[in-house]
Amino acid sequence: MQPTPDPSRDFLSVGEVADELHVTDRFVRRLIADGELPAVRVGHRIVRVRRSDLEHVLHPVTGVAFR
């Protein structure tokens, strides 16, 4: 069982985003590179995603989307 995300944490690492979505880090980095998921760089190597931006890009899937 995974722990419940702490809503008070505003920023997530790429790994944390991947864990929450059950995808790979590479997929999350591709979303960021394609401009689909906003992210910020902290320093030279650290990338963070605002939790509200992550929630904003998630969309419910309807039956029409699968046709």
Side-chain angles (χ1 to χ4, degrees), residues 33-66:
D34 291 346
E36 295 181 46
L37 179 61
V40 295
R41 186 173 297 278
V42 181
H44 181 66
R45 298 183 62 177
I46 299 172
V47 175
R48 293 292 183 256
V49 175
R50 189 182 307 269
R51 182 175 294 280
S52 59
D53 288 337
L54 173 61
E55 293 170 0
H56 187 259
V57 299
L58 298 177
H59 303 285
V61 176
T62 62
V64 176
F66 290 110

Side-chain angles (χ1 to χ4, degrees), residues 1-66:
M1 177 188 265
Q2 290 191 344
T4 305
D6 182 359
S8 66
R9 293 197 52 214
D10 288 336
F11 291 93
L12 302 169
S13 69
V14 169
E16 290 169 329
V17 171
D19 287 344
E20 284 197 26
L21 298 180
H22 302 285
V23 297
T24 64
D25 288 9
R26 183 177 179 182
F27 181 77
V28 174
R29 290 184 187 281
R30 188 176 320 133
L31 290 175
I32 293 168
D34 291 346
E36 295 181 46
L37 179 61
V40 295
R41 186 173 297 278
V42 181
H44 181 66
R45 298 183 62 177
I46 299 172
V47 175
R48 293 292 183 256
V49 175
R50 189 182 307 269
R51 182 175 294 280
S52 59
D53 288 337
L54 173 61
E55 293 170 0
H56 187 259
V57 299
L58 298 177
H59 303 285
V61 176
T62 62
V64 176
F66 290 110

